Amino acid sequence: MLVKVFAAAVQGVEALIVTIEVNCGPGIRFFMVGLPDMAVKESHERIVSALQHNGYKFPRQQIIVNMAPADIKKEGSAYDLPLAIGILASAEMVSGEKLSRYMLMGELSLDGSILPVKGILPIALKAREEGFAGLIVPKANVREAAVVDNIEVYGVENIKEVIGFFNGETELEPTTIDTQAEFYRQQQNFEFDFADVKGQENVKRALEVAAGGGHNLIMIGPPGAGKSMMAKRIPSILPPLTLQEALETTKIHSVAGKMGKNTSLLMHRPFRSPHHTISSVALVGGGSFPQPGEISLAHNGVLFLDELPEFSRQVLEVMRQPLEDRKISISRVKYALEYPAGLMLVASMNPCPCGYYNHPEKKCICAPGAVSKYLNRISGPLLDRIDIQIEIVPVPFEKISDGRPAEPSAAIRERVIRARRIQEERYRNIPGIYCNAQMNTQLLHQFAEPDEQSKERLKAAMTRFNLSARAYNRILKVARTIADLEGCENIGLAHISEAISYRNLDRENWAG
């Protein structure tokens, strides 16, 4: 008897329908076609054991399984459950009456338990799009899938529950989540707060400007000055995720298998901080079994690269295109994928190998030329893509020992949110543009044109520091954000001057 069961495959961050056709006939052999990988082929042994452990016999017939479309590679163990149900339905041990209305996904344990799988959120979105009545997934994944409305989502723990459901012997209870209530309830809770940061007012101002316009930023300073501490607090001053942004971000983390057990939506903007030994593939994504990289996992959030010059030059150079295009296109012989990369890059570095160049108290012991050589590990084109370059010095004892709390993140966040609302209103009719950091040259002429006095100041800075055209655009973008933070419609001299001051690495003779 020929039956069809429906599952899904994940490509990039999207899902596509996989139709599992099973036909049982005379014979004793088992065939599986449709480009399954080794993990899918091994499902035969898991299914046999799971059925035997729960009192069912694997059919003693010739079984042919086809996974369509046959030109898409099927990977992983998530097809165990639909394969098992398809085989039982083809052998008339399970009723096939309701099979066409449901999509199934899940890995089988040898005792019939159903284990969690990756990519459930995009699969649930695809199931709703294709008009399925329901989705049957592992219990551990059910909250992640249940954020999708207008489709019934059932969480199951054992294959017996699924068999009983299709045979009409047991009822499954759909899981429902009030997505909006749960989403907004958790948005104000942060582990780190700027109230703990003493001093460093100029750096906190630079971080506020970066958050206000979504600008990339680099901090240069000696060890112990507080670079990593302040970077970890940036998510607490960024605007809260919208529900649409939360779904986009959760999809990526779901595909990568980074969702916690019984987690539904990501409530906070992601903060990713990979070690400097990371490879190019781990950063941008791809690989033999394509997965999102750290750049995509930081989508709608922050990618923090600590000790930037210690990263491989090749790794840093692959970031140039994603920072401009806000997406990553990965093309290989066997596949071509696109991952989103709308992130805010935050980097930190020591000013020299010993760490004490320009230190107010400690003397730099590096050899002549070592500072320039150290800085040159970061290419000019990559530095050009970083809007704000801020120098940081150690906090004096008087400020460290001050018991009074500093300005909390909530107060800074309010100013950032007001500035972002101005930008949302400004770009509401321009698709794909949401903040000042995304402005192109045409929009700069339209919204960030400085007055004559400001132009003269900018011209002098361009000449003195020998800035590139890209650096010129960055200064205008940052000035536009500073004006938005102050609620000013036009860019003035003070805004341009402050934006120029955030190009520390462009200063003449900075590196000796």
Side-chain angles (χ1 to χ4, degrees):
M1 177 181 176
L2 176 64
V3 298
K4 294 184 179 182
V5 183
F6 297 95
V10 176
Q11 285 197 314
V13 292
E14 303 297 333
L16 58 88
I17 300 297
V18 173
T19 304
I20 298 175
E21 302 171 320
V22 186
N23 187 38
C24 286
I28 56 171
R29 301 185 66 183
F30 182 86
F31 299 96
M32 185 179 291
V33 295
L35 217 55
D37 73 349
M38 187 55 68
V40 180
K41 292 177 180 178
E42 288 172 349
S43 64
H44 176 267
E45 314 305 327
R46 292 191 292 272
I47 293 169
V48 171
S49 175
L51 293 180
Q52 287 177 347
H53 196 273
N54 287 278
Y56 299 92
K57 288 186 178 181
F58 192 84
R60 291 182 173 274
Q61 297 173 280
Q62 178 169 287
I63 301 171
I64 302 174
V65 178
N66 178 45
M67 305 179 78
D71 60 338
I72 301 294
K73 192 168 183 63
K74 320 304 182 303
E75 299 170 338
S77 54
Y79 300 102
D80 290 359
L81 180 60
L83 284 169
I85 297 300
I87 290 169
L88 292 177
S90 183
E92 300 185 2
M93 298 166 66
V94 164
S95 171
E97 183 181 345
K98 297 189 289 186
L99 285 180
S100 62
R101 295 163 49 200
Y102 294 89
M103 184 185 287
L104 298 87
M105 297 298 292
E107 177 185 338
L108 284 177
S109 178
L110 295 183
D111 64 357
S113 302
I114 300 177
L115 306 178
V117 297
K118 297 179 182 179
I120 283 297
L121 181 55
I123 289 171
L125 290 167
K126 188 65 175 180
R128 181 184 65 179
E129 179 188 327
E130 295 293 328
F132 285 93
L135 174 66
I136 299 175
V137 298
K139 192 80 170 180
N141 293 126
V142 69
R143 290 181 61 80
E144 182 184 335
V147 301
V148 181
D149 55 6
N150 298 325
I151 186 172
E152 292 187 335
V153 179
Y154 303 96
V156 291
E157 295 180 298
N158 193 282
I159 192 172
K160 288 182 73 172
E161 298 174 48
V162 185
I163 295 171
F165 172 73
F166 283 113
N167 284 336
E169 299 165 358
T170 58
E171 287 292 327
L172 295 178
E173 198 65 36
T175 300
T176 56
I177 292 178
D178 189 341
T179 306
Q180 292 200 352
E182 185 165 318
F183 176 63
Y184 292 114
R185 186 171 59 246
Q186 301 291 333
Q187 284 207 329
Q188 304 302 321
N189 302 325
F190 292 97
E191 183 180 358
F192 303 108
D193 196 287
F194 271 101
D196 306 323
V197 180
K198 304 298 177 64
Q200 304 291 13
E201 299 305 325
N202 64 321
V203 183
K204 286 193 277 189
R205 168 64 176 177
L207 294 176
E208 179 182 336
V209 173
H215 303 287
N216 302 324
L217 173 142
I218 184 169
M219 295 177 281
I220 311 101
K227 302 185 293 293
S228 300
M229 179 182 71
M230 285 189 280
K232 290 176 182 177
R233 285 159 173 76
I234 291 175
S236 68
I237 64 172
L238 288 172
L241 284 167
T242 64
L243 197 54
Q244 181 60 36
E245 287 176 330
L247 279 169
E248 288 177 4
T249 310
T250 305
K251 275 173 66 175
I252 299 167
H253 285 249
S254 173
V255 169
K258 303 292 184 183
M259 297 292 291
K261 187 178 180 181
N262 295 319
T263 304
S264 53
L265 271 180
L266 292 180
M267 308 299 176
H268 297 131
R269 294 186 180 273
F271 180 86
R272 305 293 300 182
S273 181
H275 193 261
H276 62 256
T277 57
I278 190 171
S279 68
S280 301
V281 173
L283 188 67
V284 302
S288 302
F289 301 96
Q291 290 285 292
E294 288 291 335
I295 292 178
S296 296
L297 290 170
H299 180 61
N300 290 324
V302 176
L303 177 66
F304 177 48
L305 302 183
D306 199 7
E307 302 300 339
L308 188 66
E310 302 301 328
F311 283 78
S312 159
R313 178 82 174 225
Q314 180 185 359
V315 169
L316 293 180
E317 292 308 296
V318 300
M319 294 186 59
R320 285 159 54 176
Q321 179 258 339
L323 288 177
E324 284 291 314
D325 299 342
R326 306 181 74 82
K327 64 182 179 181
I328 300 170
S329 300
I330 300 172
S331 298
R332 300 291 184 267
V333 173
K334 295 183 179 179
Y335 62 84
L337 302 174
E338 189 173 282
Y339 292 118
L343 58 93
M344 177 179 165
L345 174 66
V346 177
S348 72
M349 60 177 285
N350 293 331
C352 66
C354 80
Y356 296 107
Y357 179 74
N358 274 355
H359 194 283
E361 298 173 1
K362 295 187 179 182
K363 186 178 179 181
C364 175
I365 60 172
C366 296
V371 179
S372 296
K373 186 178 179 181
Y374 188 72
L375 184 61
N376 286 338
R377 293 185 186 180
I378 308 166
S379 70
L382 180 60
L383 277 179
D384 264 356
R385 286 167 169 80
I386 298 177
D387 303 350
I388 298 176
Q389 306 161 358
I390 185 74
E391 194 170 0
I392 178 171
V393 296
V395 182
F397 175 79
E398 294 76 18
K399 290 190 176 180
I400 295 176
S401 58
D402 189 346
R404 293 172 298 177
E407 184 178 30
S409 292
I412 302 173
R413 195 186 201 196
E414 282 300 316
R415 297 195 292 271
V416 169
I417 290 173
R418 283 199 299 270
R420 287 290 186 104
R421 283 174 181 159
I422 292 171
Q423 293 163 47
E424 287 174 13
E425 179 65 20
R426 179 184 298 135
Y427 308 125
R428 69 182 186 277
N429 296 323
I430 306 172
I433 306 293
Y434 308 103
C435 60
N436 289 332
Q438 297 174 303
M439 281 195 291
N440 55 32
T441 305
Q442 181 182 354
L443 294 176
L444 280 173
H445 289 307
Q446 186 175 350
F447 299 116
E449 195 67 34
D451 57 31
E452 288 303 319
Q453 193 177 10
S454 302
K455 280 184 179 178
E456 287 300 317
R457 176 66 58 86
L458 187 51
K459 179 182 177 181
M462 293 284 294
T463 304
R464 181 181 176 188
F465 301 143
N466 193 27
L467 300 180
S468 68
R470 186 180 279 115
Y472 170 83
N473 290 343
R474 303 288 175 189
I475 290 172
L476 289 181
K477 290 179 183 181
V478 173
R480 178 68 269 171
T481 298
I482 295 169
D484 290 341
L485 285 167
E486 295 182 5
C488 298
E489 185 175 346
N490 298 316
I491 294 175
L493 181 61
H495 308 138
I496 286 288
S497 299
E498 184 178 349
I500 293 171
S501 73
Y502 294 141
R503 302 296 300 185
N504 284 46
L505 294 181
D506 293 327
R507 290 207 313 264
E508 192 173 14
N509 298 326
W510 186 89

